[in-house]
């Protein structure tokens, strides 16, 4: 079942992923990974409240699996951000980072979301810098750092980092 769901996820076939996840949950309701796939399908289909419930339920079931819990919390952070529930989003990201402090994607996403809200910019800058340290040359991460510097009105540094992002982006295409 997990392989089937992984294939649907890779193919971005959200309808079949959701259908399969629901079928699997009828048979195996205590498997947290199924809730991750279910939540992902719901999130992609813009069924954000349902996705939040799926992720929250799966996170509780993944009690002793730290990496899986961190993934559920990161996904909750993304969904809550999309729902404009910023306090819940920030809380989910903080909990995720407590469990997995080296998750470069959580560091990048959380710092970006803080920066577009112009909140806690110093923390956003630190997290973004660390994500760039973990994944040097990632154009998206470089761009996030440039944006944070721009929001902090450090225009010269922002331009330098934006140039790095453009160079990395053209190198990867």
């Amino acid at each position: 079942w997990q392989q089937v769901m992984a294939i649907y996820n890779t193919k971005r076939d959200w309808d079949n992923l959701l259908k399969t996840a629901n079928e699997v949950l009828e048979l195996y309701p205590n498997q947290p990974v199924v809730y991750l796939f279910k939540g992902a399908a719901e999130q992609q289909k813009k069924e954000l409240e349902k996705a939040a419930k799926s992720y929250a339920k799966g996170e509780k079931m993944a009690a002793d699996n730290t990496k899986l819990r961190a993934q559920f919390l990161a996904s909750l952070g993304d969904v809550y951000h999309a729902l404009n529930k910023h306090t819940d989003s920030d809380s989910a990201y903080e909990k995720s980072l407590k469990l997995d402090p080296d998750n470069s994607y959580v560091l990048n996403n959380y710092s970006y979301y803080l920066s577009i809200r112009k909140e806690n910019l110093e923390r956003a800058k630190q997290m973004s810098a660390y994500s760039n340290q973990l994944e040097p040359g990632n154009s998206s991460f470089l761009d996030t750092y440039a944006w944070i510097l721009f929001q902090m009105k450090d225009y010269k540094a922002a331009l330098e980092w934006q140039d790095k992002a453009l160079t990395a982006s053209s190198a990867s295409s």
Side-chain angles (χ1 to χ4, degrees):
W1 288 106
Q2 232 176 298
Q3 289 299 321
V4 170
M5 290 184 292
I7 290 168
Y8 285 138
N9 189 60
T10 301
K11 290 176 62 178
R12 305 175 71 79
D13 185 345
W14 310 124
D15 291 329
N16 278 318
L17 177 57
L18 184 57
K19 180 179 179 258
T20 303
N22 284 326
E23 289 171 1
V24 172
L25 286 172
E26 290 289 321
L27 301 170
Y28 307 103
N30 296 324
Q31 296 300 310
V33 172
V34 182
Y35 289 95
L36 194 59
F37 283 116
K38 183 178 191 293
E42 291 164 338
Q43 185 176 357
Q44 293 300 320
K45 291 171 62 69
K46 305 294 185 219
E47 298 173 4
L48 300 177
E49 294 289 351
K50 288 181 180 180
K53 288 178 184 171
S54 294
Y55 290 144
K57 190 166 186 174
E59 190 266 332
K60 286 182 181 77
M61 289 183 180
D64 59 344
N65 186 331
T66 304
K67 288 283 189 188
L68 185 57
R69 282 190 61 219
Q71 181 58 55
F72 275 114
L73 290 162
S75 297
L76 271 170
D78 292 341
V79 168
Y80 287 144
H81 169 77
L83 289 167
N84 291 316
K85 295 182 176 182
H86 302 303
T87 302
D88 292 335
S89 176
D90 293 355
S91 175
Y93 284 132
E94 290 290 345
K95 289 175 185 173
S96 179
L97 288 172
K98 192 170 272 193
L99 295 171
D100 185 9
D102 298 329
N103 187 317
S104 59
Y105 287 90
V106 174
L107 290 161
N108 182 71
N109 288 357
Y110 184 24
S111 61
Y112 177 72
Y113 294 149
L114 286 173
S115 72
I116 59 174
R117 295 184 346 237
K118 297 182 182 180
E119 293 178 8
N120 209 349
L121 291 174
E122 195 55 48
R123 169 99 165 110
K125 181 180 175 184
Q126 291 169 354
M127 288 188 297
S128 181
Y130 188 46
S131 73
N132 278 287
Q133 182 182 335
L134 292 168
E135 285 202 38
N138 182 316
S139 60
S140 178
F141 294 3
L142 293 165
D143 181 68
T144 295
Y145 193 69
W147 174 249
I148 293 166
L149 293 170
F150 181 83
Q151 293 290 60
M152 297 176 87
K153 301 187 182 339
D154 186 351
Y155 302 121
K156 183 178 179 189
L159 181 60
E160 290 172 19
W161 281 86
Q162 189 61 54
D163 285 343
K164 289 179 185 184
L166 290 170
T167 299
S169 179
S170 63
S172 67
S173 43

